[in-house]
């Protein structure tokens, strides 16, 4: 049966959505519900650590890939929590985000993308959140700032789980609240998330953790970006990126940025 939503929190969420829409049609930047003192939300805030454990891989037919470990870290006041309703297509589930207020009452935001049944070669299927993050490659301006995005990688889907405790905030739970993602296709209620101070981590050898560097020469910004479609409610929307400057083509397997501008 579908997940039940309390009427009052849903009404609060709709008020927040209306405030955002009204601001978008006015003069300024849309209101972030996390900044609304009446809602008093304890929002998540996702950041990506810079790409790490970089490895160059030959993929055949002249193709070259750059593999990287990636971390989605929640540094916010509250958890990132997603729940999902199954749709008419059993492989997909419409997601909604749950944000808790300072009295720990849930507030629901209904438009939060979707969860789907994703195949991982050699491991089976998992329920994963689509467009949790993205790998990007950018050209650089002379001052070292990013100029134009020229490539993206296939990695978009994440379990969103408490895998590694990476911060020691007072608000950080000592144990995992959001476990490994489900491999139960018949599961009716789905719940994914990342607690404050915890990270969802994928090693460089994991399926799709790469970006194509075939035929590229020069200096580039290799970027990992959380929530690339802007579907999640967060404290801040301008700090979702972790990046590393690289020089291509690789020399002896290394993409160290010799002579590249930095900013």
């Amino acid at each position: 049966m579908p997940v039940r939503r309390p009427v009052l929190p849903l009404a609060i969420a709709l008020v927040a959505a209306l405030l955002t829409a009204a601001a978008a049609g006015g003069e300024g930047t849309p209101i972030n519900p996390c900044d609304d003192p009446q809602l008093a939300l304890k929002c998540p805030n996702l950041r990506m650590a810079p790409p790490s454990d970089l490895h160059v891989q030959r993929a055949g037919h002249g193709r070259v890939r750059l593999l990287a470990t990636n971390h989605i870290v929640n540094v916010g006041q509250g958890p990132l929590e997603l729940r999902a309703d199954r749709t008419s297509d059993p492989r997909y589930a419409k997601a909604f985000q749950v944000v808790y207020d300072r009295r720990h009452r849930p507030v629901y935001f209904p438009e939060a993308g979707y969860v789907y049944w994703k195949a991982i070669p050699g491991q089976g299927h998992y329920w994963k959140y689509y467009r949790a993050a993205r790998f990007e490659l950018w050209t650089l301006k002379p001052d070292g700032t990013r100029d134009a995005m020229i490539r993206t990688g296939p990695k978009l889907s994440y379990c969103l789980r408490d895998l590694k405790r990476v911060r020691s905030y007072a608000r950080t739970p000592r144990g995992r609240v959001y476990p490994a993602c489900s491999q139960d296709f018949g599961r009716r209620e789905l719940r994914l998330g990342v607690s404050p101070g915890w990270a969802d981590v994928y090693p460089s050898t994991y399926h799709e953790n790469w970006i194509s560097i075939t035929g590229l020469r020069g200096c580039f910004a290799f970027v990992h970006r959380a929530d690339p479609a802007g579907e999640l409610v967060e404290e801040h929307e301008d700090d979702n990126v972790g990046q590393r400057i690289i020089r291509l083509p690789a020399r002896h397997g290394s993409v160290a940025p010799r002579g590249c501008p930095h900013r």
Side-chain angles (χ1 to χ4, degrees):
M1 62 185 293
V3 179
R4 295 183 181 272
R5 302 180 180 84
V7 174
L8 179 59
L10 179 57
I12 294 173
L14 291 176
V15 170
L18 289 172
L19 288 172
T20 301
E27 297 179 356
T29 303
I31 295 173
N32 184 339
C34 301
D35 297 331
D36 190 322
Q38 293 184 5
L39 295 175
L41 299 179
K42 298 175 69 174
C43 291
N45 191 36
L46 299 184
R47 292 181 183 171
M48 296 291 284
S52 60
D53 191 27
L54 304 185
H55 295 289
V56 176
Q57 180 189 70
R58 304 287 174 178
H61 303 289
R63 295 174 295 173
V64 186
R65 296 171 176 173
L66 183 60
L67 283 60
T69 294
N70 58 99
H71 301 66
I72 297 182
V73 184
N74 181 7
V75 299
Q77 294 299 312
L80 169 69
E81 181 172 312
L82 295 169
R83 302 183 196 179
D85 291 334
R86 302 289 290 274
T87 66
S88 56
D89 186 332
R91 299 168 299 171
Y92 293 86
K94 182 73 177 66
F96 59 96
Q97 185 177 354
V98 183
V99 181
Y100 296 91
D101 68 13
R102 298 199 180 277
R103 295 172 61 184
H104 203 68
R105 297 178 302 179
V107 178
Y108 294 95
F109 292 86
E111 298 300 324
Y114 64 91
V115 177
Y116 73 118
W117 187 241
K118 181 173 175 61
I120 305 298
Q123 297 185 32
H125 287 75
Y126 296 85
W127 287 109
K128 289 182 179 258
Y129 180 66
Y130 181 57
R131 292 191 298 207
R134 183 173 66 200
F135 289 19
E136 303 171 356
L137 208 59
W138 289 71
T139 58
L140 296 177
K141 296 178 182 178
D143 65 357
T145 57
R146 294 192 297 271
D147 187 12
M149 185 173 69
I150 58 170
R151 290 186 183 175
T152 59
K155 178 69 173 176
L156 293 167
S157 305
Y158 287 69
C159 284
L160 294 181
R161 58 195 167 160
D162 290 340
L163 183 67
K164 185 176 181 181
R165 193 171 185 262
V166 294
R167 300 285 193 277
S168 298
Y169 307 129
R171 60 187 181 275
T172 301
R174 298 185 66 85
R176 293 181 175 91
V177 176
Y178 302 97
C181 57
S182 174
Q183 290 189 277
D184 181 2
F185 182 70
R187 189 166 182 171
R188 303 304 305 169
E189 297 184 359
L190 299 168
R191 180 172 174 261
L192 299 78
V194 183
S195 298
W198 285 77
D200 189 10
V201 184
Y202 288 84
S204 61
T205 53
Y206 195 80
H207 179 58
E208 295 183 338
N209 275 15
W210 54 268
I211 196 163
S212 173
I213 56 173
T214 304
L216 296 179
R217 303 187 68 86
C219 298
F220 301 88
F222 183 21
V223 169
H224 287 176
R225 184 185 303 275
D227 188 26
E231 295 172 301
L232 302 176
V233 173
E234 299 184 65
E235 290 176 358
H236 305 289
E237 300 290 349
D238 58 357
D239 62 352
N240 287 6
V241 166
Q243 78 168 31
R244 190 173 300 280
I245 303 301
I246 61 173
R247 176 179 281 279
L248 301 174
R251 301 177 183 177
H252 308 292
S254 172
V255 292
R258 304 177 188 88
C260 291
H262 287 74
R263 177 68 177 267

